[in-house]
Amino acid sequence: MSMPDKAERHRDRMQRKKTRVDGAIARADRDQGLLLVLTGNGKGKSSSAFGMLARSLGYGMKVGVAQFIKGCGDTGEEAFFQAQPNVVWHVLGEGFTWETQNLARDIETAQRGWAVVREMLEDSSLNLIVLDELTYPLKYGWLDLTTVLDDLGKRPPMQHVVITGRAAPEALCAAADTVTDLRDVKHAFRSGVRAQRGVDL
Ligand code: ATP
Ligand code: MG
């Protein structure tokens, strides 16, 4: 094929693509508060959620964070976002589940935590809420999924909620507007590299 033919075919293809994309953009004409789920075994769930937090703050929006499973050390995002105005930050978990080994206490902690989240979900001044690692208390049955879905359903219509954590329950994904399953292709930890500041924590 000669160069002019190739260029013409490329132009035609791009024009068809543009028509398709422009049409899709024109059809998406609603605004609403979104429920997003970031799940899967790949790295990037919490850091993506905190990316949305940064975006929201950039617009002067008010945001809330609830962390359900607090790791051993503090993270860079916690240090950074806690120091910003317009951020409400709650640590509602006590540590990795395999480190507490006290079922009754884990259940109580999770339920007390959800009561705090419920208040955030009733606060229409919060434009975006990150519920980091919420899938764990759901997976272990420390929180009742029906109650959680019910409370999420009653939140203000323009409030966005981002939920992270592995193994998100089916019903949660079904209720969400946007669901991303991050796939673990490889992770440096498995070749012996410890968690790196700025990348992993
Ligand atoms: P991040 O906070 O980096 O976005 P994440 O929220 O997707 O990660 P978590 O399951 O919450 O993943 O784990 C948090 C920590 O574990 C991070 O330090 C992250 O780099 C690490 N991690 C995430 N996925 C994997 C994996 N597949 N193998 C090993 N370590 C992982
Ligand atoms: Mg995470």
Side-chain angles (χ1 to χ4, degrees):
M1 197 189 305
S2 70
M3 271 312 278
D5 279 356
K6 219 171 158 182
E8 200 173 318
R9 279 172 64 135
H10 176 76
R11 210 170 37 244
D12 284 353
R13 211 163 45 231
M14 288 301 121
Q15 182 54 52
R16 280 198 300 276
K17 192 181 171 77
K18 180 173 158 47
T19 307
R20 240 185 353 258
V21 172
D22 287 351
I25 291 171
R27 276 191 301 279
D29 61 355
R30 282 186 299 121
D31 292 311
Q32 74 169 65
L34 297 172
L35 179 61
L36 301 96
V37 173
L38 299 164
T39 192
N41 293 331
K43 171 183 160 52
K45 300 174 287 296
S46 297
S47 40
S48 166
F50 293 124
M52 287 180 247
L53 206 70
R55 285 182 168 173
S56 303
L57 290 171
Y59 288 108
M61 293 157 86
K62 209 176 147 198
V63 300
V65 178
Q67 281 189 306
F68 275 86
I69 308 287
K70 170 89 172 136
C72 315
D74 289 334
T75 58
E77 64 264 18
E78 185 175 347
F80 178 77
F81 286 115
Q82 284 229 32
Q84 305 301 315
N86 295 334
V87 178
V88 179
W89 192 289
H90 295 286
V91 177
L92 304 173
E94 287 200 71
F96 285 110
T97 54
W98 54 87
E99 280 178 358
T100 60
Q101 297 170 4
N102 182 334
L103 182 63
R105 204 182 68 192
D106 284 343
I107 292 174
E108 201 194 295
T109 305
Q111 302 211 338
R112 223 175 325 116
W114 188 254
V116 174
V117 171
R118 188 179 283 140
E119 278 180 29
M120 293 203 290
L121 293 171
E122 286 168 354
D123 180 353
S124 59
S125 77
L126 291 176
N127 301 116
L128 181 133
I129 298 173
V130 172
L131 304 177
D132 194 32
E133 322 294 346
L134 175 68
T135 59
Y136 299 96
L138 290 174
K139 181 178 157 195
Y140 293 116
W142 303 338
L143 291 177
D144 174 45
L145 183 57
T146 313
T147 308
V148 165
L149 290 176
D150 197 45
D151 291 337
L152 287 169
K154 285 192 283 204
R155 75 190 193 278
M158 278 312 297
Q159 186 183 71
H160 304 301
V161 176
V162 186
I163 295 173
T164 82
R166 297 179 190 203
E170 279 283 326
L172 179 63
C173 294
D177 302 291
T178 297
V179 180
T180 304
D181 189 350
L182 290 98
R183 189 164 69 91
D184 181 23
V185 178
K186 61 162 98 162
H187 194 290
F189 178 70
R190 289 199 293 280
S191 56
V193 185
R194 73 182 69 153
Q196 296 294 297
R197 282 185 156 189
V199 174
D200 295 301
L201 74 168

